[in-house]
Amino acid sequence: MKKILLSILCIFQFSLIFAASAKYESENYNLNLNYNDVITPGDAIFVRLNITVPKTHKKSKNEPEKKATLQLLQDKKVIESAPFYSLKSKKTNITEMLCGIPVSLWLKDGNYSLKLIYADTDTDINEFILPSRLVMRTFPEEVLQLDDRNTSIKTDNSPERAAQIDKLNDILFTTMPSDIYSLKKFTTPTESQRYTAYCGDRRTYVYSNGKSSTSLHYGNDYGVPTGTEVKACAAGKVVMAESRISTGWSVVVEHLPGLYSLYYHMNELSVKEGDMVNQGQLLGKSGATGLATGPHLHWEVRLNGSAVRPEFFLNDFAFEED
């Protein structure tokens, strides 16, 4: 039978996420996939892949493991790439896989495409370009005047702060294929709707000595008073719960391979490293510890080490509700 890659079968909208589906058929297997087809700075691309083999197929002990990779290309250059990881399936003839890659907050207008590479065996390898479209986004700019205390924190070049940064990066760039704790869409960590900053904001910090620096803001800030309850946005494993120079009392929760949520500037913690938490479980209470101009909660989401707008994950990003 001739292999055919079908075009988009349907397009529908999950609040902020546009999703598409496509199908690939062959004699040995069928691929069905759902994915969000809009490439937007600060968001992510997730693809859920279902691989169906004939029920008469008998898997041998030496049969290679099915593998797939998702790539984001600018022209023909790969700028983001990640392997798929397997999900549990109730049917023996169906393999379910999921993959997510971040879209840079710095992404410029250009020619982008999504590529799926699927290897059913070591010799049966196919590549597909997934139909997609680019939607650009603009980000606000703001200037923050820092007092002596916050200037000292922002310009701290001590070995202690460097070690804290390295430790956090080691966590955020770690991907464990077996660490699948939640496929549900996220919930916000606080009931407050008062935002004081957003992920992707371009910031200029003006120091008390008159100097300045620029950077990106990697999360959403909620302007809430000290003592406001902070809850887990999804089920997962606490991989960090400690005080840091820049972010104060901080919690990091792992949800999926390479997917983490971060909660900064808290006044007190209710969890410790290694704890398993449920969606909506209390992590601690907000405060103004670390680099903070006032009481607030900084909520951040990282995918494969890169910051992604938390709003993206408030939708059915893993296509669990199909």
Side-chain angles (χ1 to χ4, degrees):
M1 180 185 295
K2 184 179 180 180
K3 297 179 179 180
I4 302 173
L5 176 63
L6 302 182
S7 59
I8 294 180
L9 299 179
C10 60
I11 297 179
F12 48 98
Q13 185 178 5
F14 294 132
S15 184
L16 298 176
I17 298 179
F18 289 91
S21 60
K23 186 175 183 180
Y24 173 86
E25 298 179 341
S26 77
E27 293 179 351
N28 299 321
Y29 58 86
N30 292 337
L31 303 182
N32 290 279
L33 57 95
N34 290 324
Y35 68 102
N36 54 293
D37 64 337
V38 178
I39 301 171
T40 301
D43 283 358
I45 301 294
F46 270 80
V47 177
R48 186 153 180 166
L49 178 62
N50 282 17
I51 308 155
T52 305
V53 299
K55 292 184 178 180
T56 55
H57 174 76
K58 294 183 179 180
K59 186 175 181 179
S60 66
K61 293 183 179 180
N62 298 324
E63 185 172 320
E65 181 182 356
K66 295 174 172 56
K67 297 180 181 180
T69 301
L70 179 63
Q71 296 179 341
L72 174 61
L73 290 78
Q74 182 177 16
D75 296 317
K76 295 183 179 181
K77 180 182 179 181
V78 177
I79 59 174
E80 289 288 346
S81 178
F84 281 72
Y85 45 88
S86 295
L87 306 177
K88 291 182 179 179
S89 178
K90 297 179 180 178
K91 298 182 180 180
T92 57
N93 68 318
I94 295 179
T95 300
E96 286 194 81
M97 307 179 81
L98 185 69
C99 182
I101 54 174
V103 180
S104 172
L105 287 161
W106 293 108
L107 193 79
K108 304 296 184 182
D109 198 3
N111 181 29
Y112 300 93
S113 59
L114 298 172
K115 179 188 285 188
L116 172 68
I117 304 172
Y118 175 69
D120 192 63
T121 66
D122 292 337
T123 56
D124 186 3
I125 302 174
N126 290 280
E127 298 184 355
F128 315 118
I129 296 297
L130 304 181
S132 61
R133 57 196 177 90
L134 177 69
V135 177
M136 294 302 295
R137 172 182 283 125
T138 57
F139 296 93
E141 298 182 4
E142 63 176 342
V143 177
L144 292 181
Q145 302 283 341
L146 301 185
D147 57 17
D148 289 341
R149 172 185 168 276
N150 282 321
T151 294
S152 177
I153 293 174
K154 183 66 177 174
T155 58
D156 187 334
N157 294 317
S158 67
E160 181 184 3
R161 183 170 182 243
Q164 290 178 353
I165 293 172
D166 288 342
K167 179 181 178 180
L168 179 60
N169 284 335
D170 286 344
I171 291 173
L172 298 181
F173 283 93
T174 296
T175 300
M176 300 296 292
S178 61
D179 290 354
I180 300 173
Y181 301 115
S182 176
L183 295 170
K184 293 182 178 180
K185 60 185 178 182
F186 288 5
T187 54
T188 55
T190 174
E191 295 180 358
S192 174
Q193 297 297 315
R194 182 173 177 263
Y195 294 94
T196 55
Y198 291 92
C199 178
D201 288 357
R202 274 56 176 165
R203 283 187 165 180
T204 298
Y205 293 95
V206 179
Y207 305 141
S208 58
N209 60 12
K211 296 182 179 181
S212 65
S213 66
T214 59
S215 65
L216 282 184
H217 188 239
Y218 288 134
N220 288 349
D221 286 349
Y222 292 89
V224 293
T226 297
T228 301
E229 290 189 342
V230 177
K231 299 179 180 181
C233 64
K237 180 180 181 180
V238 177
V239 292
M240 176 181 283
E242 63 186 44
S243 179
R244 305 177 69 247
I245 294 172
S246 294
T247 61
W249 285 103
S250 307
V251 173
V252 180
V253 181
E254 180 188 23
H255 305 290
L256 287 171
L259 180 61
Y260 300 86
S261 61
L262 302 85
Y263 312 79
Y264 288 166
H265 309 299
M266 297 168 71
N267 192 55
E268 59 181 85
L269 304 185
S270 302
V271 294
K272 63 183 183 302
E273 184 178 334
D275 285 352
M276 302 301 298
V277 295
N278 296 317
Q279 188 173 51
Q281 183 173 329
L282 183 67
L283 300 177
K285 295 183 179 180
S286 65
T289 57
L291 177 58
T293 57
H296 72 287
L297 169 67
H298 174 98
W299 179 39
E300 187 172 320
V301 178
R302 294 288 188 109
L303 176 61
N304 302 342
S306 296
V308 177
R309 296 170 62 251
E311 295 95 325
F312 177 87
F313 296 95
L314 298 177
N315 302 272
D316 183 27
F317 66 94
F319 310 102
E320 186 72 356
E321 299 176 2
D322 284 1

